[in-house]
Every structure is written in C-alpha cells, then in structure tokens.
Amino acid sequence: MNKSICMDVANAKQEKQRILKWKALRRALIIAHNYQPEEIQELADYTGDSLELARLAAQTDAEVIACAGVIFMAESAKILSPQKTVLLPVPEAGCPLADTITAEDLRRARQQHPQAAVVVYVNSPAEVKALADVCCTSANAIAVVNAVPQAEVILAPDKNLADWVARHTEKRVIPWPGSCCTHNAVRLEAVEAARKAHPQASVLVHPECRPEVCARADAVLSTSQMLRQARADANLEFIIGTEIGLLYRLRKENPEKLFYPLSEGMVCASMKLTTLRHLGDALEFMPQKVEVPEEVRSRAFQALEAMLRIQ
Ligand code: CIZ
C-alpha cells in the first residue's frame, strides 16, 4: 500500500471512532439514504428511502438524529420527530428536484385548478408539503392518486413521476415541470446499450426516469421496491436505473447476484457531499440543527399522515 493510501485508511479509521464516540455520547441515531456514499451507509443504524428513515427515526428513543442525506430528508425526519434534535451533516446539501417548486408556485397552481386535489411527492420542501392535501412517495404515488376523491390531481414536483402515474390511473394528472437531474439525464439509448451488454439482466428503473426509459424497463420501482424485487426475483442479473448509491446495498444483500448501473453517470452530487468528517463534525459540534416552523411542520405532518392512512 502506498503512503497516501495508508494515511487515508488511518484517517477514515479515526473519523469512524470519533463518530461512534459522539454517537454514543449524544444518544444519537444515524440514518443514511440509499443514495449516500458507501462508507456513510456502512456506519448508519438504518439505510432506506426518505420516508422509511423518517418513520424509523420517529420510532426510536434516540434524542439526536443525524440524517445523512439532503435537506428535504432531514426536514421529513423533523416533521415526524419535532421533539428530537435533527442534524444534517452538510447543511447546504439541497435536492435539485425539490428546488424546482416553492410554496408560492403551488399556491398559484391550486388557484388555477381549484377543483384538483394536490398531491406532493416527498422530494419537496417542507413548506410545499404543508400546502398538500396529501403527500406521496414513488412507491405509493399511484395508490394515493387513486385514493383522493377528486377526478383531477396536481402531482408535483416531478413530471416523470406524474407521467408514470397518469399511465396507471383513470384520473387527470396535472404535472409540475420539475425533474431530478440525475434520473432525467438518462436517455433511451442508455437502456438499449445496457440491455445489449447484459442481455440476461432485468431492467429496474425509478419512476423519476423519462417516460421512454420507463417504457423500456422490466419494472418501474422506488428504491425500497428495487431492494425487495432484487431479493425476490430468481434472476441473477439486474440493470439498475437509479442513483448508483443503491448498488452498495443491493450487492451487500445479494452477494450471489450481479448489479449493473444503467448509467455510470447516475450520481447525485448533493448526496455525495457527505463525508465521514462531516458526520463526525455534526455529531461532535451540532453546528446547525434542522428546524421547521411549527405552523409548517404541523400542516406537513397532516399531509404525510393522510398518505400513511392510504398506504
Ligand atoms: O423517496 C426517496 O427517498 C427517494 C429519493 C427515492 C426512492 O425511491 O426511495
């Protein structure tokens, strides 16, 4: 091993020890999104999708939740656990999809379509969730849209998810023109190339991918659904059309199976900002606690609760 690699390994070991020390002292829980870097997922108490993580955090008696992810995920944890201290190791880690919509935008859309239900994807700011009739995840968006009484539904902010839902419901879905730059960047040619390279593999893609990419997949699934499908499916090879962080857990849980990224470019830069140093600093110094004003929090909580009643 060369000298700089030895230094990196020694530094990582030290950072891990610091994280574990402060985690114990703070009675903290570490939750990491499926898209986080491997070394962060490795250290986490739980990995999962944003809602799964927020719900797990709410069920524990930990006083401090260190949420390795992006802003809307830490907000979701705070919305479900207002009495806990929620830390986001990289406070500026935003979600480009969530940033495509503001509360003011959604108020205007409501005025334009007063007859429509407002369904808001969890990948959105807390103030936007607070204006929703009900939230949805990529796993339950179709069920949520079908469950609301209105025949028309504003589904924001991801236009590709809205398109996917529109193809699976009788309702009129009014999309918001937002998208996830990581998923939306993948073109049909990438699916054709991956299928050619791995003809035996099942293609699983996320509904944030473009409609033509979804149409060419074997299944369109959220990250938690992909994890379940990979375990249950007898196939031994999978092409994965979501952020490449999910491959870490897929490979760990299914060592006998092969997983290929649909595109090596499916990397969310915000998700990859978190380092061991950030996590250690967050736990040791607790510099910026995530806060959601109570009025916003309680309304966003109601929209999330409305979703959980449907699920
Ligand atoms: O809901 C989430 O956490 C995201 C970003 C994707 C998914 O499908 O889990």
Side-chain angles (χ1 to χ4, degrees), residues 33-35 49-51 72-73 121-123 138 206 208 222-224:
H33 192 267
N34 288 325
Y35 297 159
D49 66 40
S50 56
L51 186 71
F72 83 82
M73 297 174 179
Y121 188 29
V122 285
N123 298 31
S138 48
H206 196 276
E208 289 173 23
S222 70
T223 58
S224 49

Side-chain angles (χ1 to χ4, degrees), residues 29-308:
L29 183 83
I30 301 174
I31 55 176
H33 192 267
N34 288 325
Y35 297 159
Q36 282 288 293
E38 289 185 17
E39 63 278 18
I40 304 290
Q41 292 195 43
E42 224 172 77
L43 264 181
D45 295 295
Y46 296 114
T47 50
D49 66 40
S50 56
L51 186 71
E52 235 170 26
L53 293 175
R55 293 179 78 186
L56 283 165
Q59 283 159 16
T60 72
D61 57 6
E63 290 161 15
V64 173
I65 309 297
C67 174
V70 295
I71 294 168
F72 83 82
M73 297 174 179
E75 284 179 346
S76 295
K78 187 70 184 176
I79 289 166
L80 297 194
S81 301
Q83 73 293 356
K84 298 187 202 270
T85 297
V86 176
L87 306 170
L88 180 64
V90 183
E92 64 279 14
C95 167
L97 168 60
D99 291 346
T100 63
I101 190 160
T102 64
E104 203 34 55
D105 292 331
L106 192 56
R107 262 189 217 105
R108 265 199 301 273
R110 238 192 208 290
Q111 276 164 8
Q112 281 161 9
H113 304 281
Q115 72 296 349
V118 176
V119 176
V120 167
Y121 188 29
V122 285
N123 298 31
S124 57
E127 314 84 66
V128 173
K129 287 190 183 79
L131 293 176
D133 295 320
V134 52
C135 286
C136 75
T137 66
S138 48
N140 65 20
I142 297 170
V144 169
V145 166
N146 282 333
V148 295
Q150 294 88 332
E152 291 186 22
V153 179
I154 297 171
L155 178 47
D158 191 286
K159 64 178 180 182
N160 293 336
L161 177 66
D163 181 278
W164 173 247
V165 172
R167 289 170 196 272
H168 294 84
T169 180
E170 298 291 305
K171 308 214 172 180
R172 175 171 174 248
V173 177
I174 304 162
W176 180 259
S179 62
C180 160
C181 44
T182 305
H183 288 89
N184 196 52
V186 178
R187 305 297 179 125
L188 183 57
E189 297 77 62
V191 187
E192 303 300 356
R195 277 199 181 278
K196 206 165 162 201
H198 308 289
Q200 311 296 335
S202 301
V203 179
L204 313 183
V205 307
H206 196 276
E208 289 173 23
C209 288
R210 288 170 181 258
E212 62 275 20
V213 169
C214 292
R216 194 67 183 96
D218 294 308
V220 178
L221 304 168
S222 70
T223 58
S224 49
Q225 290 171 329
M226 284 186 196
L227 286 159
R228 275 198 295 277
Q229 174 86 2
R231 264 178 245 132
D233 198 320
N235 201 353
L236 293 177
E237 293 184 53
F238 299 86
I239 293 162
I240 300 299
T242 193
E243 213 279 347
I244 59 165
L246 187 68
L247 277 92
Y248 167 72
R249 199 166 147 199
L250 284 165
R251 287 174 176 148
K252 193 170 153 194
E253 291 182 2
N254 306 277
E256 74 292 3
K257 299 189 179 183
L258 293 171
F259 298 94
Y260 315 106
L262 173 54
S263 156
E264 294 286 349
M266 294 192 83
V267 179
C268 170
S270 299
M271 280 287 179
K272 300 301 188 245
L273 289 174
T274 322
T275 62
L276 293 172
R277 162 79 58 92
H278 287 118
L279 188 53
D281 283 351
L283 285 164
E284 181 172 353
F285 304 116
M286 298 213 288
Q288 274 179 10
K289 297 168 189 152
V290 175
E291 300 296 350
V292 178
E294 182 51 28
E295 198 198 319
V296 171
R297 192 204 67 79
S298 62
R299 290 193 351 241
F301 182 81
Q302 282 167 24
L304 283 169
E305 283 252 283
M307 173 188 82
L308 297 175

